[in-house]
Amino acid sequence: MIPQHLHPVVLNNIAVQNLEQGNTEFACKIFASAVKLILSAPMDFSSTEQMFSKSAHFSWSNVVYDNIKTRRNETSDRTFMFSRAICIENYSPTADLTQLSNDMKAGIIYNTGLAFHLIAMENNDSNFLSKARDTYSLSQTILREASMNGIISKLCFDYNFHVILLNNLGQISYELVDYDASSYFFYQLSVNLNHIASQPKNEINFENCDMNGMKSNVIVELPNAAPCA
């Protein structure tokens, strides 16, 4: 049973725990409940929202999808999927929806996309791939609109969250045989990874396995083919 009355941040963290335990479909339902609450609240680009954004703390979950095992068990090569969810820390569960920063919204929506993505990869389901792509894109849109309104994203600047979205959107596009889109996302990913690689090692927020996986995506040879009609 999904506890509908809880705050989106609490629902998010419960769902992340379920993802780590392998309860992907149940986690997906919990994330969806959190997103429904998020979308019911108006967007806020005020100075108050900026304050909530600065005070938020995030952490990455454990890896919840074994890319190496999948490649070993399949005849076709698959691109790397970033499969860590976002936990939201140091946040009061009694706060109302108007105190939910755009970073928090984008993170919870990303997690929902990740759950769709996991279900799609585990079941070779293109419908869930499309759902994941659209959900990741919504997360991107929230951060883009916040940036256009002067809101500095802690997720992007401190956690390189935008890089994760580029990687997974590129991976989904590859799976959907949309090689033009995959080429675009992986090119943007390459630019960002080069920037990250130029930083001191203690400022890089990704584990080596995740960095190496994303690097492998930018050297994938994409077929020169359009998606099927």
Side-chain angles (χ1 to χ4, degrees), residues 25-81:
E25 293 189 6
F26 183 59
C28 188
K29 292 177 181 178
I30 300 175
F31 284 133
S33 295
V35 170
K36 185 176 180 179
L37 290 172
I38 288 170
L39 297 181
S40 70
M43 296 295 289
D44 182 10
F45 303 117
S46 66
S47 57
T48 302
E49 199 287 331
Q50 179 81 301
M51 178 186 69
F52 287 128
S53 182
K54 289 181 179 179
S55 64
H57 293 277
F58 305 91
S59 64
W60 293 112
S61 76
N62 296 321
V63 170
V64 293
Y65 180 77
D66 192 338
N67 285 274
I68 295 175
K69 180 180 178 180
T70 301
R71 287 172 177 166
R72 189 187 304 126
N73 292 343
E74 295 185 356
T75 55
S76 60
D77 290 333
R78 288 193 119 151
T79 46
F80 173 80
M81 169 189 174

Side-chain angles (χ1 to χ4, degrees), residues 48-214:
T48 302
E49 199 287 331
Q50 179 81 301
M51 178 186 69
F52 287 128
S53 182
K54 289 181 179 179
S55 64
H57 293 277
F58 305 91
S59 64
W60 293 112
S61 76
N62 296 321
V63 170
V64 293
Y65 180 77
D66 192 338
N67 285 274
I68 295 175
K69 180 180 178 180
T70 301
R71 287 172 177 166
R72 189 187 304 126
N73 292 343
E74 295 185 356
T75 55
S76 60
D77 290 333
R78 288 193 119 151
T79 46
F80 173 80
M81 169 189 174
F82 186 91
S83 64
R84 297 182 192 270
I86 293 175
C87 300
I88 302 173
E89 303 171 350
N90 298 336
Y91 189 74
S92 171
T94 61
D96 61 37
L97 289 179
T98 62
Q99 296 176 323
L100 198 66
S101 75
N102 291 303
D103 270 359
M104 293 176 185
K105 294 175 184 177
I108 295 171
I109 291 171
Y110 155 80
N111 283 344
T112 309
L114 177 62
F116 289 146
H117 201 165
L118 288 165
I119 292 172
M121 296 298 285
E122 291 167 357
N123 298 287
N124 291 313
D125 190 324
S126 61
N127 289 326
F128 271 95
L129 274 180
S130 297
K131 286 183 178 181
R133 177 193 58 200
D134 294 345
T135 310
Y136 287 147
S137 296
L138 176 58
S139 183
Q140 265 191 332
T141 299
I142 288 174
L143 292 179
R144 186 182 302 116
E145 290 181 354
S147 177
M148 292 171 61
N149 283 274
I151 304 296
I152 297 173
S153 171
K154 190 171 187 177
L155 264 183
C156 290
F157 282 90
D158 291 355
Y159 297 87
N160 294 307
F161 177 68
H162 55 297
V163 179
I164 303 310
L165 290 173
L166 290 171
N167 181 85
N168 282 7
L169 283 167
Q171 196 274 342
I172 286 175
S173 299
Y174 185 90
E175 291 288 328
L176 291 174
V177 201
D178 187 351
Y179 297 126
D180 287 340
S182 186
S183 178
Y184 168 79
F185 288 123
F186 283 161
Y187 172 75
Q188 295 297 326
L189 175 65
S190 175
V191 171
N192 281 273
L193 289 179
N194 287 337
H195 173 70
I196 292 172
S198 69
Q199 298 175 336
K201 286 188 177 181
N202 63 341
E203 295 182 13
I204 297 177
N205 296 305
F206 298 126
E207 299 288 339
N208 286 336
C209 59
D210 295 323
M211 279 293 289
N212 291 336
M214 290 188 287

